[in-house]
Structure formats: C-alpha cells, structure tokens
Amino acid sequence: FRLVSTTGEEDQIWVGDYREDKRQILNLFNRLTRQVADEVMIELTPEEERLLSISKTVDREAYDAYLKSSYLLDDGSKESLYEVLVYLKCAVEKDPDWAPLYSGLTIVWLSISQMGHEPPEITGPKIFANRNKALELDPDLADIHHADAMIAYLREWNWEKSEKEFLKAIAINPNNAGSRVLYAQLLGILQRPGEALTQGQLAIELDPLNLLVQVLYGGVLMEIGDFETALAYGEKVTAVDPGHLAANSLIVAAAFGCGDYNKVMEAAKYAFAKKVDFKEVERIYGETGFVAAQEEILRQKEVLAQKGYVPAVGMAVRYMMVDQPDKAMEWLEKGFEVREQGMPYIATHGFLCEPLFDNPRFIEIIQKMNLPLPNN
C-alpha cells in the first residue's frame, strides 16, 4: 500500500507491505485506516476509534462471493440481480453471521423491486427480513443505514427517517458514492435541487468510473429537469456497456425529454426487448411514427398486465409519452395502492408527469404521500 500526496508533485507520504490471511481482511482495513490517519495527522473521533477497534473475521469464500456480487449489481437486469442473489446466498451458507451479506441481500431485493422485476408483495418480506438480520448482527454498519434509508423512502415513504439514515451512513463512510447519489435522489424528490446536485456531484467525484453511480446521477439530473446532461450520462455508460439496462432506461426518458425519438427507440430496444415484441414496435415506428410505436408497447404491456405484474409507474410514464393523462392517472393510482417503489419520483421532472401537476387526483396522491408539491 502507498499513500501519496496529490497536491503538486506526487510525493510518497507512506508505504506499507502487508501479508494477511484473507479472513483478517476487515481487521487489516481498520488497521490501515488508523495508520493513514496517523500519517496525515488526522485525529479520529471517539466513535471512529470505537468502530475501528472492533475485531471482525470473515470466511474467505464468503468474502470472494460478496465481492463478485458487488460487481454484478450495477446494470439492473433481472439476470444480473438474480445472479447476485446466488452469490450472496452461497456466502451466507459459508458465513451466516457476517452482516454485510444481509444488507447486500436487502439492497438486491430493493433493486429487483425498483427495476420492476417482481411485485412489491414478493420483494417486501425479503427486504425487511434481510434488513432486520443485518441490523441484529451489526447495527453500526454503514450499509445498514444505507439500506434503511432506501427502505424509508422507497417502501415506507418516510422522508425524514430516510434523510436521517442517509446522513448516518455518510457520517460512518463519507466516501460511499452510492449513499451520496441516492441521498441526492431523495433530495430531488423533496424538491431541494441545489442540495441534490451537490451530493450527486460529490458521488461522481468519489467514484467517477462507477457505471451505476453515473446512471443514478443521471436520475438526479432527470429529477431537476436537466434532460440533456442526463442523456449524456446515460450514453456515457452505454458507450462502455451497450446493453446496460438501467442506463438504457435512463436514456429512454432523457431522450424523450430532449425530443430525440430516434434515441428513445434505440434505447427502448434494450430496455424493453425481453418484455415486448420489439420488431413489431420498430415496424410501426418506421411506418407510422413514434406515438403509434409507443401505443403498441402499451398495448402489449396491457396484455401482460392481465397475466402478471407490470410496474404501474412505468405504465404511467408510457401513457404520458403518448399524451393520455387519464390512463396515466389510473396507473399511478394503482401504483399508490400497492406502494410501488417508483411512486416517490412522480412529482419530479424525471417521470414526465408535469401535465398532471395541477390534476386534483395527482395532488391528492402527493398529499397522501406527504411529499412537497412540485414547483412548476
């Protein structure tokens, strides 16, 4: 390990060579943190000293599986997220008392629900069971507070609790870009755009190559109505990974906001390919145009909705794209009834619901959710 100065010339401040059993990796991280703090003369708080003094070991195979699961989490596809579940469940078998595995499972089930892969009644019990187990094992873990913050705003619609939990997570680990960018999304939901941008930009600075952080920051930009920059972030990700589901979903909405229907259709090919007959959609787009193509997507999804779960908020957004606000409201009311995770975002610019902002039915939902009314 090397510690270097990044101001002026790159001067080496400290170097250390460590050979540790992988089971001691967490204790090594704590020891390194103390040594770095000493070298740069940072005084640790009593709480930081307490956390760093806690000795923890982890099973080697469980740790490897945990790292692999983290790598697969970012694109949001059903296949990737279920592969993450496999890794984490295998890790739990190896080390059932390691709290990060359960906070990881909590985040994965939240992601599965957020991406519309499973309905809330399936994901909800798994989210809370894993969250409770993680909290039981290690209440000081930053990831637990991160997960609690996500649960509070995505499932419980408890905005005050969510902000407190995000701030706890950031206080424990201020370099966690994921916590900062999701906190930024919460701030956008709460109509605090300046603070949202500050936290989102910090997240990008902390982890500029993380594809998921870039997509989530694109979501922050969508919330405040900066479709052009959001589109650029989505395209930056798809330049690296063309099939990135979350990035293509971002591009669909951002490109629509920019009026670039060709880009909407190109991204939709990846975002909806496994859910609709996209060749038929493309044929209609070529012959009749954008609105007719979107109506075909909606027709196919309405058929799917008769057989199983289709995310309500996504349907509402599609109906707004074809200027059918009454149908959009019907789906938003369905989303409200099942507490769908996309609902907290509907009063931001990113979900294309601006024409509904003065609709009494829409306002009633926003008030029931205790959200601030959007600034037109």
Side-chain angles (χ1 to χ4, degrees):
F1 291 91
R2 294 174 65 234
L3 180 65
V4 298
S5 170
T6 58
T7 58
E9 294 185 9
E10 186 178 289
D11 296 323
Q12 181 171 291
I13 298 173
W14 165 79
V15 63
D17 186 24
Y18 298 87
R19 299 182 187 277
E20 293 278 352
D21 187 318
K22 190 177 284 187
R23 289 172 297 183
Q24 299 294 329
I25 189 71
L26 304 179
N27 295 325
L28 173 60
F29 290 156
N30 286 352
R31 195 159 81 247
L32 282 170
T33 301
R34 285 172 174 273
Q35 290 183 333
V36 169
D38 288 343
E39 290 294 333
V40 298
M41 293 181 289
I42 292 176
E43 185 175 353
L44 298 173
T45 67
E47 178 63 10
E48 289 169 337
E49 290 280 8
R50 183 185 72 81
L51 292 173
L52 291 172
S53 69
I54 299 172
S55 179
K56 302 174 185 176
T57 59
V58 61
D59 179 88
R60 286 175 291 184
E61 292 182 35
Y63 188 72
D64 285 342
Y66 176 74
L67 293 179
K68 290 174 182 176
S69 74
S70 300
Y71 174 77
L72 289 166
L73 189 60
D74 79 356
D75 86 334
S77 69
K78 188 172 185 177
E79 294 79 7
S80 293
L81 292 174
Y82 272 84
E83 192 172 354
V84 172
L85 286 179
V86 170
Y87 277 117
L88 289 176
K89 288 176 180 178
C90 288
V92 166
E93 291 177 5
K94 297 290 183 181
D95 196 339
D97 294 325
W98 192 35
L101 300 179
Y102 299 97
S103 63
L105 285 165
T106 304
I107 298 299
V108 177
W109 281 111
L110 280 164
S111 299
I112 287 170
S113 188
Q114 187 72 3
M115 295 303 295
H117 300 314
E118 298 287 356
E121 62 266 25
I122 296 295
T123 59
K126 299 179 186 298
I127 289 167
F128 286 99
N130 283 293
R131 174 263 182 194
N132 291 341
K133 182 65 176 178
L135 189 62
E136 172 192 327
L137 290 170
D138 189 352
D140 293 322
L141 189 67
D143 286 352
I144 301 297
H145 295 292
H146 174 101
D148 260 353
M150 291 182 67
I151 290 170
Y153 90 83
L154 292 174
R155 306 293 299 211
E156 299 171 338
W157 301 345
N158 186 332
W159 321 117
E160 182 179 355
K161 176 184 175 182
S162 181
E163 182 164 16
K164 286 180 179 177
E165 291 298 323
F166 271 130
L167 291 174
K168 286 179 184 177
I170 290 168
I172 295 171
N173 184 3
N175 294 323
N176 187 323
S179 291
R180 287 196 180 273
V181 76
L182 285 166
Y183 178 40
Q185 290 201 355
L186 172 67
L187 292 167
I189 288 166
L190 297 178
Q191 310 295 334
R192 292 155 61 183
E195 295 172 77
L197 280 175
T198 297
Q199 290 295 328
Q201 289 162 358
L202 274 171
I204 291 292
E205 291 170 10
L206 286 167
D207 201 349
L209 300 181
N210 187 309
L211 300 185
L212 182 58
V213 169
Q214 292 179 49
V215 172
L216 292 172
Y217 181 55
V220 175
L221 294 165
M222 289 290 293
E223 288 179 333
I224 66 173
D226 187 353
F227 299 122
E228 186 175 342
T229 310
L231 177 59
Y233 270 94
E235 291 180 328
K236 186 177 178 181
V237 172
T238 56
V240 177
D241 181 359
H244 196 288
L245 178 62
N248 279 292
S249 298
L250 169 65
I251 290 171
V252 167
F256 180 83
C258 293
D260 192 332
Y261 299 147
N262 286 332
K263 286 186 177 180
V264 172
M265 294 300 296
E266 183 62 29
K269 185 189 305 182
Y270 294 98
F272 303 135
K274 296 181 180 179
K275 300 175 183 178
V276 299
D277 177 3
F278 208 77
K279 287 185 178 179
E280 177 64 9
V281 173
E282 287 182 308
R283 183 191 67 77
I284 293 172
Y285 179 57
E287 294 179 1
T288 315
F290 179 77
V291 171
Q294 294 301 308
E295 288 175 339
E296 174 60 18
I297 291 175
L298 284 163
R299 185 193 68 77
Q300 292 188 36
K301 282 182 165 285
E302 289 280 7
V303 172
L304 291 173
Q306 294 173 11
K307 303 174 183 178
Y309 175 64
V310 172
V313 176
M315 289 293 284
V317 172
R318 299 280 91 68
Y319 274 114
M320 291 306 299
M321 284 183 170
V322 297
D323 194 24
Q324 294 189 40
D326 289 340
K327 289 291 292 183
M329 273 308 315
E330 289 178 18
W331 279 97
L332 288 178
E333 286 165 344
K334 291 177 183 178
F336 175 79
E337 289 301 320
V338 299
R339 300 183 77 87
E340 201 171 272
Q341 286 184 194
M343 288 298 294
Y345 297 90
I346 64 172
T348 70
H349 296 285
F351 276 54
L352 312 178
C353 291
E354 289 95 329
L356 297 174
F357 284 0
D358 59 358
N359 183 306
R361 291 161 66 192
F362 184 87
I363 292 171
E364 182 181 6
I365 287 177
I366 296 302
Q367 290 175 335
K368 285 180 177 178
M369 294 177 68
N370 199 29
L371 276 171
L373 291 170
N375 300 313
N376 286 311

